Amino acid sequence: MQVTRNTFNDVMVPNYAPAAMVPVRGEGSRVWDQENNEFIDFAGGIAVNVLGHCHPALTKALNEQGNKIWHLSNVFTNEPALRLAKKLTDNTFADKVYFANSGAEANEAALKLARRYALEKFGEDRSEIIAFKQGFHGRTFFTVTVGGQPAYSDGFGPKPGHIIHSEYGNLDMLAEMMSDKTCAVMMEPMQGEGGIIVPDPAFVKGVRELCDKHHALLIFDEVQSGMGRTGKLYEYMNLDVVPDILTTAKSLGGGFPVGAMLTTKEIAEHLKPGTHGSTYGGNPLACAVAEAVFDVVNNPDVLNGVLKKEAIFREHLNRINEKYNVFSEIRGKGMLLGCALNDEYKGRAKDFMVAANNHGLMCLVAGMNVVRFAPSLVIPDEDIVEGLARFEQGIADIVAEK
Ligand SMILES: *Cc1c(COP(=O)(O)O)cnc(C)c1O
């Protein structure tokens, strides 16, 4: 059956507007479309393909598990899930893991756990969730309401209640909002969708102190920042601030849908049998792939390599900007970088993304003003240089239009 990009308009719900080309094959950080045009991939499936496309270790794990057992449900446990949970708890603050299938589901579990914990420990009045403007936590109705962009949660009827938003980076405002009604504070330790915003470490430390003072749980959403992307397994390790609950997804599966919520033994106790669940959560195929991702990423050479690759990106982006003067700032950490457009190009991030695509580079935006790169952690240095040369050609087109 012949399908093309036009088929999308015929048969798909129109909630997405995908690019004009249809990728069919990928290897490492290169992708080919239906016409066999080649692209360099700085998009990484939106910060998911942490080891590029068809990494041999992941393909092997998928094939091996695919020939053993695919699915069991949670009526039975399984070896890949147990091994992955062991590795996640051995290498983080956490003692316990709950598996889900996506970032939103991991966050939904985190929020429900925080509410249940507060209810059982402190009583009914402690139900308020505080989150941050421009934050993003997924698209289920609870998580999208906790997210800090009302445009995403408006228009679906009554929203889940007792959710308020503070300004990211403004500790005084958060201090004002917190009280003995505060159940939990949920935040990204670096905002992704909101525009690649790296907080002042003192702000994050201050949030932890406020949570301690008010007996509120601190939930770190590391769905985008996690699994090696910032040069540590999780960004909290760079910040030296330990959350009570951490959520991880995207890079965790390297392209296979999986998510996880990590927490301490004491908090985990509050999700007793029957309180929450998922048919697929902890599925053996997903966990086998995630275990392979974990084994490759949790290695000093890969993690330190992320910072070396960041330096290559920054050097070339600064050089490009000296020539074309389009960015106000290059921000982010490791393999999660944002090129913030200056006032002259305000609101045009998507134009830059499309122009780059025309020259054979896949990249992302984060809001209207930031071009985002979330490539593989093991992208070859030559692909970074070649990809940025293509990006520069796209920029040249936009600058020439003026
Ligand atoms: C992408 C993202 C999510 C949602 O993950 P899904 O897998 O799309 O549900 C949640 N939080 C953050 C920080 C994200 O970047």
Side-chain angles (χ1 to χ4, degrees), residues 218-291:
L218 176 58
I219 306 171
F220 274 1
D221 177 347
E222 294 232 31
V223 170
Q224 189 153 166
S225 58
M227 267 320 262
R229 201 158 276 290
T230 62
K232 285 272 199 318
L233 209 44
Y234 289 100
E235 176 60 5
Y236 85 83
M237 297 169 178
N238 278 321
L239 291 164
D240 213 13
V241 174
V242 178
D244 299 298
I245 302 176
L246 179 150
T247 57
T248 174
K250 290 202 167 105
S251 304
L252 177 65
F256 203 99
V258 63
M261 174 189 76
L262 314 184
T263 190
T264 63
K265 183 169 180 297
E266 191 224 331
I267 297 167
E269 296 291 307
H270 294 267
L271 279 190
K272 293 183 183 68
T275 50
H276 191 57
S278 154
T279 299
Y280 291 112
N283 167 291
L285 266 183
C287 291
V289 176
E291 187 193 2

Side-chain angles (χ1 to χ4, degrees), residues 16-46:
Y16 305 119
M21 56 92 170
V22 179
V24 293
R25 187 165 62 86
E27 194 185 318
S29 286
R30 306 249 172 175
V31 167
W32 290 266
D33 73 4
Q34 288 181 315
E35 272 79 53
N36 212 28
N37 298 308
E38 181 238 46
F39 295 82
I40 289 179
D41 187 3
F42 286 179
I46 317 191

Side-chain angles (χ1 to χ4, degrees), residues 46-47 101-105 107 135-140 188 190-193 221-225 247 249-250 258 372:
I46 317 191
N101 310 291
S102 66
E105 280 183 40
N107 285 334
F136 185 79
H137 302 296
R139 296 284 199 155
T140 65
E188 296 162 86
M190 162 162 62
Q191 285 191 336
E193 303 301 311
D221 177 347
E222 294 232 31
V223 170
Q224 189 153 166
S225 58
T247 57
K250 290 202 167 105
V258 63
R372 172 173 39 154

Side-chain angles (χ1 to χ4, degrees), residues 33-239:
D33 73 4
Q34 288 181 315
E35 272 79 53
N36 212 28
N37 298 308
E38 181 238 46
F39 295 82
I40 289 179
D41 187 3
F42 286 179
I46 317 191
V48 167
N49 303 326
V50 77
L51 296 173
H53 297 273
C54 299
H55 188 285
L58 308 198
T59 304
K60 180 165 174 274
L62 182 67
N63 285 331
E64 282 182 6
Q65 191 60 41
N67 285 312
K68 263 192 200 157
I69 197 157
W70 287 22
H71 178 74
L72 286 160
S73 88
N74 291 294
V75 176
F76 309 93
T77 190
N78 68 78
E79 290 180 351
L82 295 169
R83 284 197 305 263
L84 177 60
K86 191 93 181 62
K87 289 178 181 179
L88 287 169
T89 52
D90 283 349
N91 289 279
T92 66
F93 75 95
D95 313 308
K96 300 278 185 175
V97 180
Y98 166 85
F99 285 118
N101 310 291
S102 66
E105 280 183 40
N107 285 334
E108 185 83 20
L111 292 163
K112 284 178 72 179
L113 171 57
R115 283 269 181 87
R116 181 61 68 114
Y117 172 86
L119 179 72
E120 291 181 350
K121 216 171 143 136
F122 302 105
E124 276 181 5
D125 287 338
R126 194 180 277 273
S127 58
E128 200 157 70
I129 307 284
I130 305 183
F132 293 94
K133 290 178 184 168
Q134 306 309 316
F136 185 79
H137 302 296
R139 296 284 199 155
T140 65
F141 209 12
F142 198 171
T143 58
V144 81
T145 307
V146 172
Q149 294 205 52
Y152 291 166
S153 53
D154 288 346
F156 298 102
K159 298 180 189 186
H162 299 198
I163 297 166
I164 55 175
H165 296 90
S166 184
E167 279 168 15
Y168 198 66
N170 186 339
L171 204 55
D172 292 340
M173 185 172 176
L174 181 66
E176 271 300 300
M177 284 184 162
M178 288 189 75
S179 68
D180 56 9
K181 292 194 166 37
T182 311
C183 161
V185 175
M186 182 177 240
M187 67 184 289
E188 296 162 86
M190 162 162 62
Q191 285 191 336
E193 303 301 311
I196 313 293
I197 313 290
V198 178
D200 180 347
F203 169 70
V204 185
K205 284 205 168 69
V207 177
R208 175 72 271 180
E209 282 161 17
L210 284 171
C211 285
D212 290 342
K213 182 174 154 201
H214 292 279
H215 306 289
L217 296 181
L218 176 58
I219 306 171
F220 274 1
D221 177 347
E222 294 232 31
V223 170
Q224 189 153 166
S225 58
M227 267 320 262
R229 201 158 276 290
T230 62
K232 285 272 199 318
L233 209 44
Y234 289 100
E235 176 60 5
Y236 85 83
M237 297 169 178
N238 278 321
L239 291 164

Side-chain angles (χ1 to χ4, degrees), residues 371-385:
V371 181
R372 172 173 39 154
F373 300 143
S376 156
L377 307 193
V378 295
I379 182 172
D381 295 353
E382 315 76 272
D383 287 8
I384 300 177
V385 174

